[in-house]
Amino acid sequence: MKTVAFIHRNDTRFAVGDFSPVLSVFSHYELGNTVSPFLLLDHIGPGKLRPSSRQKGVNAHPHRGFETVTLVYTGEIEHRDSSGGGGIIAAGDVQWMTAAKGIVHQEFFSEAFTQQGGRFEMIQLWVNLPAKDKMQDPHYQSITTRDIPVFELPNNDGKVRVIAGQFQDLLGPAQTYTPINVFDAQLNAGQDVTFNADAGHTALIFLRSGRLQLAENEVLEEEAMAVMSSREANIAVHALEDSQFIVLTGEPIQEPINAHGPFIMNTHDEIVQAYEDFKSGQF
Ligand code: MN
């Protein structure tokens, strides 16, 4: 079994556009390739949106060189992009957006949800692309909740939604560029589950709510993230309280990261090029 390498915890909440509170669970600026192929994780909410007639969210902004994965737990997001694409990400749905060579998009609470108001909770994960795929054409995978297979633990003790990769005999619907597992799990107090994770792969657990015991005696508190050792295989999780958490595992991309804002490339020249391409309207 993998051991806990370290617990990573940020406590400062901030706002991204109208999304608030947002917890930066981790970013590559802090952890670099320690968490590769993952680049960033934001926990948006839980929070409450007051009814409004004004559109609320994050205005048009570009991305290049990686993928953004948005999981909506409660609330509803509407998305529009520079290619004319768009759609609703409802509770339980996942949007896997491959920005690759470039996209400009807006992320808003949906019109219906904004008018009605209510509770919201989302996660946004950024996944790096290998150098050879950073300039592919952008595309989306709209994964609705009914597309996501659910592994039910015996006696209603918990469940694992398989978004990417494989858990037991269930395959996640997301197509990925490198080997990745994304599991969205809940586990009742006192219960155990073991997640598959390869030796040599990065393995992260972010606890949305509850309290977990990992490996031997390490306790993971709410809104903290465990970075597991890349040695050994598999992760043993024991719930000390009813818990909701996300498990991310993946093969590290052994390439340099050169990043600025919404562009994540390998070299400084590629970042300069991204700004030039964006300014000249090539996104
Ligand atoms: Mn974005």
Side-chain angles (χ1 to χ4, degrees):
M1 290 291 166
K2 287 181 183 289
T3 54
V4 175
F6 60 96
I7 303 284
H8 184 72
R9 180 177 193 106
N10 285 329
D11 286 312
T12 310
R13 268 70 174 173
F14 56 100
V16 178
D18 297 318
F19 295 133
S20 175
V22 177
L23 173 68
S24 168
V25 176
F26 77 87
S27 91
H28 60 93
Y29 289 110
E30 304 158 299
L31 299 179
N33 268 335
T34 304
V35 290
S36 179
F38 307 106
L39 291 165
L40 173 150
L41 185 69
D42 279 350
H43 189 203
I44 302 149
K48 198 168 179 189
L49 180 71
R50 279 192 225 142
S52 169
S53 54
R54 187 180 70 80
Q55 207 173 33
K56 292 209 163 183
V58 184
N59 264 316
H61 59 277
H63 294 290
R64 173 180 278 183
F66 61 102
E67 303 180 289
T68 69
V69 181
T70 306
L71 285 75
V72 176
Y73 291 102
T74 51
E76 198 169 74
I77 294 295
E78 191 167 353
H79 162 268
R80 269 183 234 135
D81 74 62
S82 46
S83 74
I88 299 278
I89 315 169
D93 296 349
V94 175
Q95 185 205 53
W96 198 293
M97 182 183 90
T98 304
K101 76 177 179 189
I103 198 150
V104 178
H105 74 160
Q106 302 177 324
E107 296 157 286
F108 286 110
F109 288 116
S110 73
E111 200 178 328
F113 182 72
T114 308
Q115 284 173 3
Q116 202 171 43
R119 302 203 65 81
F120 63 88
E121 183 182 2
M122 301 169 275
I123 273 179
Q124 191 168 85
L125 169 71
W126 290 10
V127 179
N128 208 358
L129 289 170
K132 67 177 177 56
D133 294 318
K134 282 183 180 290
M135 294 301 277
Q136 301 264 15
D137 287 335
H139 63 98
Y140 299 96
Q141 301 172 67
S142 297
I143 302 168
T144 61
T145 190
R146 66 177 175 277
D147 299 328
I148 300 170
V150 182
F151 185 89
E152 303 272 0
L153 275 74
N155 310 314
N156 286 325
D157 284 336
K159 60 181 181 177
V160 179
R161 297 203 311 149
V162 186
I163 294 165
Q166 182 168 6
F167 182 79
Q168 305 284 358
D169 58 346
L170 299 181
L171 289 172
Q175 301 288 319
T176 65
Y177 286 80
T178 58
I180 285 172
N181 290 315
V182 176
F183 305 137
D184 182 37
Q186 70 179 66
L187 190 60
N188 291 343
Q191 303 304 319
D192 294 275
V193 64
T194 298
F195 293 95
N196 49 292
D198 288 0
H201 282 202
T202 297
L204 312 172
I205 298 180
F206 171 62
L207 181 60
R208 287 166 52 216
S209 66
R211 200 156 179 258
L212 294 178
Q213 184 178 304
L214 303 172
E216 302 283 291
N217 282 312
E218 294 280 353
V219 174
L220 186 64
E221 304 286 352
E222 199 158 280
E223 293 211 281
M225 181 178 79
V227 179
M228 307 301 291
S229 165
S230 66
R231 300 172 68 178
E232 312 299 337
N234 304 335
I235 309 163
V237 175
H238 173 76
L240 298 166
E241 297 172 9
D242 290 354
S243 295
Q244 297 178 297
F245 54 100
I246 189 158
V247 178
L248 308 171
T249 81
E251 183 180 74
I253 298 171
Q254 311 280 9
E255 294 172 351
I257 295 173
N258 208 299
H260 202 274
F263 306 132
I264 303 181
M265 304 301 288
N266 301 111
T267 69
H268 177 72
D269 286 354
E270 289 166 341
I271 295 295
V272 172
Q273 189 66 49
Y275 277 96
E276 282 175 7
D277 290 350
F278 177 55
K279 268 189 265 175
S280 64
Q282 290 183 45
F283 277 45

